[in-house]
Amino acid sequence: MVFSSLLFLFAFLTLCYIGYAFCPGIKSKNILLLAFSLIFYAWGGPALVILLCLMTFICYLGALLIEKHSEKRKLFLVLTLVVSLGILAFFKYTGFFLTNLKFLFGFPETIPSITLPIGISFYTFQLISYVIDVYRKEVRAQKKYWLLLLYASLFHQCIAGPIVRYADVNLELENRSVNKDEVSRGITRFACGLAKKAVLANGCAAIIKQILPDNNGDLLKASASALILSAVLYMLQIYLDFSAYSDMAIGMGLMIGFHYRENFNYPYIASSVTDFWRRWHISLSTFFRDYVYIPLGGNRVSVPRHIFNLFVVWSLTGLWHGASWKFVLWGLYYFVFLVIEKYVFRISNRQIHGFSRILRTVYTLVIVCFGWIIFYYTDITMLGTALKGIFMLNGNAFSDESVRIVFVNNIFLIAVSVLACTPIIPAIGKYFERKRVASQSKPALALYDFSTAIIPVCLVAISALALVGDSYNPFLYFRF
């Protein structure tokens, strides 16, 4: 089950939140949320729930032992992390390891096919962050297993993030409240996320299918304009798709009193690669910063050691995204540019404006776009063909009429998608909100209130129309 499905919108979520509203106390509300969360997760395979419950129990027990036995807390931390990360590695990296072993030494003859449990990377990172925070004495160990299970399995975010720290929600697990304004903001946030996914991200994906061949032979003949346009569209799609999931998760949380941190901050207006990674998938970036980069010494070390720390972090970031050398290459691609920015160009983090800001944003977008090209192609040969084709090194033409026609026919969708990647629309909304606060005109106030109420309804209706008859369209980050 995915957020962008009619079943989720008009059955699962509706029943859950109606039931939630009628539950008399926080305990009964939490029990209802846990039941619905386990049903939601079991939709992808009932056996997966057993793994989720087991992983949660391991971290639950580990945290209790860490807190109770202070003299052995480091031992219990190491054991808990080894077991948790070992389970993740088994499901996610066994095939990758055995494939490389066979390539190098010719064995094993057969490589087992292991299904990757949906969202295992996300909930594993959440649970180990909880255990580490207990070890650091930043939070107390949760005494109730079922509440920790609720934290790990909460259907808002357990499948594709954001990676929610236990410290951010531990108080709200047992003591939260809602108010009308937050419910309203949550509904609007959810509706905007749904439209970003159902209309814009899926629309960009459909255009890519029209112009981009799916085999290497045809890709050799693809024009440079087709390859460039598809790369830009994929750059739009992956942001709109993933940020849409985060928007919907944050919105659903607000509706019932949970406050999840932002996961994106308009990364495509970044002025450097460093700035981009402060804005993109913030929960993952901060996880690696707090639990890998800083423990390694961060930047308060010698230059060679700092470069090594960055190398480790970005190798792991690549591997987290997928068990493939392609993803390692993708991580190291960013490692190279981060090192260049830090030690060659010495790009500072101070605010810049005007033409310099535009140039740096264009430079960043070019780097990021090529990064997404690496990310997109599952086959290394096709990746090489696409990169060569962009520079017309395949003997291909720069443009062709079919690409021009597709572009013209979809210009409005592309323009809206670009606009949705910027803070322009929220800025307009805040402008009118300030005008509403300052206005003493009752008709103006009524018009503003009506528009804020009707816009989410319209977005949900448009999204529902886009989803009618649509095939299964999971979020891109489900596979991680």
Side-chain angles (χ1 to χ4, degrees):
M1 192 186 306
V2 294
F3 294 170
S4 57
S5 70
L6 299 178
L7 174 65
F8 177 83
L9 290 173
F10 299 112
F12 183 90
L13 185 62
T14 303
L15 289 174
C16 178
Y17 277 19
I18 289 175
Y20 185 92
F22 283 99
C23 286
I26 193 67
K27 183 174 181 179
S28 59
K29 291 179 186 293
N30 282 340
I31 291 172
L32 179 80
L33 280 177
L34 178 60
F36 270 85
S37 294
L38 294 178
I39 292 169
F40 178 86
Y41 192 74
W43 209 264
L48 300 180
V49 175
I50 299 173
L51 178 64
L52 173 60
C53 293
L54 174 63
M55 292 277 283
T56 304
F57 181 76
I58 290 167
C59 292
Y60 164 77
L61 182 61
L64 289 177
L65 291 172
I66 288 168
E67 190 169 79
K68 185 176 181 181
H69 302 282
S70 58
E71 72 284 358
K72 297 181 180 179
R73 52 203 298 270
K74 192 167 187 177
L75 172 64
F76 289 126
L77 172 68
V78 171
L79 287 175
T80 304
L81 294 182
V82 167
V83 174
S84 299
L85 292 174
I87 293 172
L88 173 64
F90 171 77
F91 282 99
K92 193 166 184 177
Y93 302 108
T94 298
F96 174 66
F97 174 75
L98 293 178
T99 299
N100 284 283
L101 199 64
K102 184 176 181 179
F103 176 79
L104 292 172
F105 303 106
F107 69 88
E109 289 187 8
T110 59
I111 298 172
S113 178
I114 301 174
T115 301
L116 180 65
I118 296 173
I120 188 172
S121 297
F122 284 96
Y123 70 71
T124 300
F125 273 30
Q126 287 194 177
L127 287 167
I128 65 176
S129 72
Y130 158 72
V131 174
I132 294 172
D133 287 349
V134 171
Y135 172 81
R136 293 174 174 175
K137 298 183 180 181
E138 294 177 3
V139 296
R140 297 296 304 274
Q142 175 57 252
K143 303 300 189 293
K144 300 173 182 176
Y145 167 74
W146 71 274
L147 277 178
L148 188 65
L149 182 60
L150 173 61
Y151 157 70
S153 67
L154 198 55
F155 69 85
H156 303 155
Q157 41 74 38
C158 79
I159 299 294
I163 299 170
V164 177
R165 303 281 185 90
Y166 180 77
D168 293 337
V169 297
N170 66 319
L171 297 178
E172 293 174 344
L173 284 172
E174 296 188 85
N175 183 25
R176 62 182 180 275
S177 60
V178 297
N179 60 61
K180 183 177 70 173
D181 288 341
E182 286 197 339
V183 171
S184 176
R185 286 196 292 117
I187 292 171
T188 301
R189 189 71 180 268
F190 178 87
C192 290
L194 178 63
K196 282 167 73 174
K197 166 62 178 172
V199 180
L200 300 182
N202 288 358
C204 289
I207 301 172
I208 293 172
K209 286 184 179 179
Q210 291 182 53
I211 62 175
L212 195 64
D214 57 3
N215 64 79
N216 195 57
D218 291 334
L219 194 64
L220 282 166
K221 306 170 188 174
S223 67
S225 61
L227 295 168
I228 294 170
L229 179 59
S230 63
V232 172
L233 286 167
Y234 184 69
M235 183 167 70
L236 295 173
Q237 181 199 353
I238 197 166
Y239 169 73
L240 294 168
D241 187 284
F242 193 16
S243 66
Y245 189 98
S246 294
D247 287 338
M248 296 169 82
I250 291 168
M252 287 187 290
L254 278 175
M255 293 181 212
I256 58 172
F258 284 105
H259 298 81
Y260 306 134
R261 293 190 182 187
E262 294 293 337
N263 205 25
F264 292 89
N265 183 23
Y266 302 102
Y268 293 158
I269 65 169
S271 58
S272 66
V273 174
T274 303
D275 188 28
F276 172 80
W277 280 104
R278 289 196 181 104
R279 296 168 176 269
W280 176 274
H281 201 350
I282 298 168
S283 62
L284 181 66
S285 299
T286 54
F287 179 93
F288 277 114
R289 181 197 67 195
D290 294 345
Y291 300 111
V292 180
Y293 180 66
I294 291 176
L296 285 173
N299 59 0
R300 297 184 176 183
V301 290
S302 65
V303 171
R305 180 55 191 263
H306 182 225
I307 293 173
F308 172 77
N309 292 348
L310 289 172
F311 175 82
V312 171
V313 167
W314 286 99
S315 297
L316 292 175
T317 300
L319 272 176
W320 182 88
H321 281 86
S324 165
W325 286 113
K326 180 197 77 167
F327 288 110
V328 176
L329 172 65
W330 178 77
L332 295 180
Y333 170 84
Y334 280 108
F335 157 75
V336 169
F337 281 102
L338 289 168
V339 171
I340 290 172
E341 286 187 359
K342 177 72 175 177
Y343 292 109
V344 179
F345 296 153
R346 298 188 181 278
I347 293 177
S348 67
N349 297 322
R350 63 183 177 83
Q351 291 289 326
I352 56 172
H353 304 282
F355 190 63
S356 296
R357 171 68 193 235
I358 293 172
L359 282 178
R360 280 179 48 166
T361 300
V362 171
Y363 143 78
T364 305
L365 285 173
V366 171
I367 300 301
V368 170
C369 188
F370 275 94
W372 290 135
I373 294 172
I374 298 172
F375 202 84
Y376 178 80
Y377 288 96
T378 56
D379 184 274
I380 294 293
T381 302
M382 292 185 69
L383 170 62
T385 300
L387 291 173
K388 289 167 62 179
I390 288 173
F391 300 100
M392 293 178 288
L393 299 177
N394 294 326
N396 54 321
F398 175 75
S399 185
D400 61 76
E401 187 65 16
S402 62
V403 174
R404 189 191 68 80
I405 292 171
V406 170
F407 177 77
V408 171
N409 289 344
N410 294 279
I411 187 67
F412 180 73
L413 174 67
I414 295 171
V416 174
S417 298
V418 170
L419 190 64
C421 295
T422 72
I424 293 174
I425 295 175
I428 293 172
K430 289 179 181 177
Y431 170 80
F432 282 108
E433 187 176 355
R434 289 194 299 270
K435 288 291 185 181
R436 176 195 180 280
V437 172
S439 175
Q440 299 299 318
S441 169
K442 289 185 177 180
L445 292 174
L447 179 62
Y448 176 85
D449 291 340
F450 174 76
S451 64
T452 55
I454 200 67
I455 287 173
V457 175
C458 293
L459 289 176
V460 171
I462 293 169
S463 301
L465 289 172
L467 293 171
V468 170
D470 200 0
S471 58
Y472 178 63
N473 56 99
F475 291 83
L476 292 175
Y477 263 67
F478 269 25
R479 56 181 157 151
F480 308 128

